[in-house]
Amino acid sequence: MLHRGIKFVHVAVLFFAAVLAFLFVRELDEDEVLGNSAVIFVFDSDDSTSGAQVTRTIASFAEDHGVTVAREVPDLRDPDGRRHLYMTAGDDPSDASEWLNEGYPAFSSNLATDVHPIADIGQRDPRGHYYVFGPPETADALVAEFSGLGLRADVSHPLSYEELATTYTNSVMYWSFWVITLAAVTLTGASVLLSARTYGILRLQGFSLMHLLVRDLRQLLVPWAVTLGAVTAVALTFLGFYNGFAWLSLFATLAAALAGLLILLVVSAHVAVIALTFKVDVLQAVKGALPARTASVGVYLVRIPALLLALSVATDIAAVGRDMETRQENRAAYAEAGDAVTIRLNGGLSGEKERVVEEIGPWLRRADSNGEVILAGRRDLQNLAPGSHLPPGEVLVVNETFLTEQPVLDPAGQRYMPADGKGKAAKGDRVRLIVPESLRGHEAALTKAVAGVLASEFDPRTQLEALPAKGGQSVFTYNPGNQVYNAAHSQKEDRSLVQDPVLVVVPNGSHFVSDDGYTAFAAQEGVVFPDPDVVVSAIQGKRLGVYVVALRPVAENSALKMREVVTEFRVQLFNLALTVTVLLIAGLGICVIYARKNAQSIFAQHINGWRYVATHRFILGVEAAIAFLLATRVPFETWMRNKDLERIAASGAPLPRPLVELTGLDLGIIAGLVAVEFGAVLLALAVFHRRIIREGATEA
């Protein structure tokens, strides 16, 4: 009979292939409109052609070339949850031509897609993303049409294998695939080794390697058929309820490809381990003997990378877990923000920075002067004053309205209030530099830096007044800070609450912040509108609609990032569970090989009064060395990295990355992993030792 572990592997890989295919297609659908052959990004215009002319040209091009072209536009009020496709279809045989009548077949339920005729787009600025559905070469022809209209554009093929491989390599799902592969191959190898005696008997009966493989695969036909039917039925039922069978062929093709690749790797491992058993004489194989040296090397070649992978995954889980906990704690602050929004600027205008600043900067200043804006800009403290040996931290550039919304306390516990109590201040009024107690010794350097760096249009009449802040207080900033570099933190961390920041409090609408500064802070989610209608009314029917493409609700943005972190945490937990399984299987395999090779000597040494530790000193020594390396690897690497960063900091240069800090959770996870890895081997070794002593060397 075929070992049940081999059957389990083939059943499991079919299931995991379906799950990975679902997760991948869902993420792909949320990133790109599926089915396209090319994406054109129009990034510049000489303004010689109106939006209506561009629309007519696209419609004519689609008709002449028999393709479908769609312009993607984010939803104004819900850019992360809804998108709009403005489409025109020629004589296009693809399914995309039917979307105008039937709607876009969304695979993911997290993102809604509304389809409109391209004529409905009106006079919108032509810069942005266009999808081409049809022969890929037609995208180049459309770029040529755009060039004749005074537009500059690039073509990409995001759904091609080359770009998908570049985009998703090193993603969580990419590593999940290889973790599944490692687990499947390891369990297959262990199952074959445990069946070594059965294979020896079959060899004695004249079976060759090929005969053994065919025999095993024949016994897998029924489990394959049953599992394939079950997985297909479950997948169809789930997808029917989830998205009405949208993109079923794409999902099925990807699932089949993943399953085929996994099964190919599993069968290759199966063949390799059976071939390994042929290195033992057939009579010895009948007794269950194994090629101990080769088998042990093979198991360690799997086990050591699995140990390093498990360690890496475990530390990632600790980091993601801390981030998830922080985001959970910050939910109350975001809830208090209510309907407040930030703005998303048109990414197609990145080459026209001066024009963007000329339009956006003055508008934001006027809104600030009217008390319609909460300014919460960020700067890295160390980059603010290079060479001043400032500690890691953040500088918040805020307006007077910010102080009405968020409490900032002085050392006596009294709250700082706006200059006139209403968030408004006259021109030339003071700029307050509020310094926490921990940084009072750097007050002179901070004052000089603020006056020299932030004030590119500094009004000489403005007074810069340094004031103390109570130490240990956290200030809510309305965004997680991932758009702004900070030497002390990773960009993945949630920095919505900043501990002991330096605050630069400027009068509402003050020229202390330049137009460029307002625009930069807006692009970094640092300009908040408590009332979304203020933005909507400002951009409707005005040229601002060219530059502001969407409103991003502050609370919804936080919830979206929380969802992404939770998803990553769950996937990483799955990866860790599989890698720990690999460690347990590999540890068991080491003990099986060791026990079968040394059964006679173990039994003889026991009879002669040898102690357990003396009998197994070699394998215990090897395992103790591996456990020691596993326990010290991360602390040692952390120490080395921090030493290099400390040398950089001592020279006065800004840190290229934050200092690494090992928390009690990190050390606990490392200790737990070492305990599982070493404890599993000790337990398995004790079981085999007891069996050898109880049943004798021959039976063992």
Side-chain angles (χ1 to χ4, degrees), residues 186-187 190 299 302-303 306-307 310 576-592 672-684 688:
T186 303
L187 184 55
V299 173
V302 171
R303 190 155 171 254
L307 283 169
L576 181 62
L578 283 186
T579 51
V580 170
T581 301
V582 171
L583 293 180
L584 296 176
I585 294 171
L588 177 63
I590 285 292
C591 293
V592 168
L673 223 89
V674 171
V676 169
E677 180 269 336
F678 193 50
V681 173
L682 289 180
L683 179 61
F688 282 111

Side-chain angles (χ1 to χ4, degrees), residues 337-521:
D339 296 329
V341 298
T342 58
I343 59 175
R344 178 187 290 182
L345 301 181
N346 189 347
L349 300 174
S350 57
E352 302 182 25
K353 181 180 177 181
E354 291 185 2
R355 288 182 55 191
V356 175
V357 171
E358 289 174 1
E359 295 288 340
I360 296 297
W363 166 59
L364 292 177
R365 186 185 309 283
R366 288 193 300 271
D368 191 9
S369 298
N370 296 332
E372 298 170 339
V373 161
I374 299 173
L375 182 64
R378 294 173 181 255
R379 291 293 298 268
D380 178 49
L381 181 59
Q382 290 185 321
N383 282 346
L384 184 68
S388 299
H389 301 288
L390 292 170
E394 290 201 55
V395 176
L396 301 182
V397 182
V398 304
N399 59 1
E400 300 283 354
T401 305
F402 182 92
L403 295 182
T404 68
E405 301 293 333
Q406 301 302 324
V408 179
L409 307 179
D410 64 16
Q414 297 297 314
R415 181 173 175 175
Y416 282 107
M417 298 301 294
D420 66 349
K422 298 180 181 180
K424 297 183 179 181
K427 292 183 179 180
D429 201 356
R430 61 177 179 172
V431 171
R432 287 178 282 180
L433 176 64
I434 302 178
V435 182
E437 293 177 338
S438 59
L439 294 175
R440 294 292 287 178
H442 301 279
E443 187 175 297
L446 287 170
T447 302
K448 180 180 179 181
V450 169
V453 177
L454 293 180
S456 58
E457 297 181 8
F458 187 75
D459 187 339
R461 297 171 297 168
T462 302
Q463 302 172 3
L464 188 59
E465 179 183 7
L467 300 169
K470 182 179 179 180
Q473 63 180 313
S474 297
V475 179
F476 179 60
T477 59
Y478 294 90
N479 67 78
N482 59 308
Q483 302 293 330
V484 183
Y485 167 80
N486 185 272
H489 300 277
S490 165
Q491 285 191 313
K492 289 185 176 182
E493 291 182 57
D494 183 6
R495 308 196 318 268
S496 302
L497 290 175
V498 179
Q499 184 80 11
D500 280 340
V502 174
L503 271 74
V504 180
V505 185
V506 302
N508 290 8
S510 168
H511 281 276
F512 183 80
V513 180
S514 65
D515 289 346
D516 193 1
Y518 270 112
T519 307
F521 289 147

Side-chain angles (χ1 to χ4, degrees), residues 634 637-639 641-642 645 657-662:
V634 171
E637 288 185 349
T638 300
W639 179 76
R641 289 175 184 173
N642 286 344
L645 292 174
R657 57 183 182 275
L659 289 170
V660 183
E661 181 181 354
L662 284 180

Side-chain angles (χ1 to χ4, degrees), residues 133-191:
F133 302 87
E137 57 272 13
T138 56
D140 295 322
L142 183 54
V143 169
E145 293 279 348
F146 283 154
S147 179
L149 297 174
L151 306 177
R152 296 175 60 195
D154 286 332
V155 179
S156 63
H157 304 275
L159 299 183
S160 65
Y161 173 78
E162 293 79 8
E163 294 201 26
L164 285 176
T166 302
T167 302
Y168 288 95
T169 298
N170 290 326
S171 68
V172 176
M173 281 189 294
Y174 173 84
W175 285 108
S176 293
F177 172 80
W178 288 112
V179 168
I180 291 170
T181 301
L182 182 62
V185 167
T186 303
L187 184 55
T188 298
S191 300

Side-chain angles (χ1 to χ4, degrees), residues 267-290:
V267 171
S268 299
H270 192 142
V271 175
V273 181
I274 291 179
L276 184 63
T277 64
F278 273 71
K279 292 184 175 293
V280 178
D281 180 78
V282 65
L283 294 179
Q284 294 296 320
V286 171
K287 299 178 182 180
L290 297 170

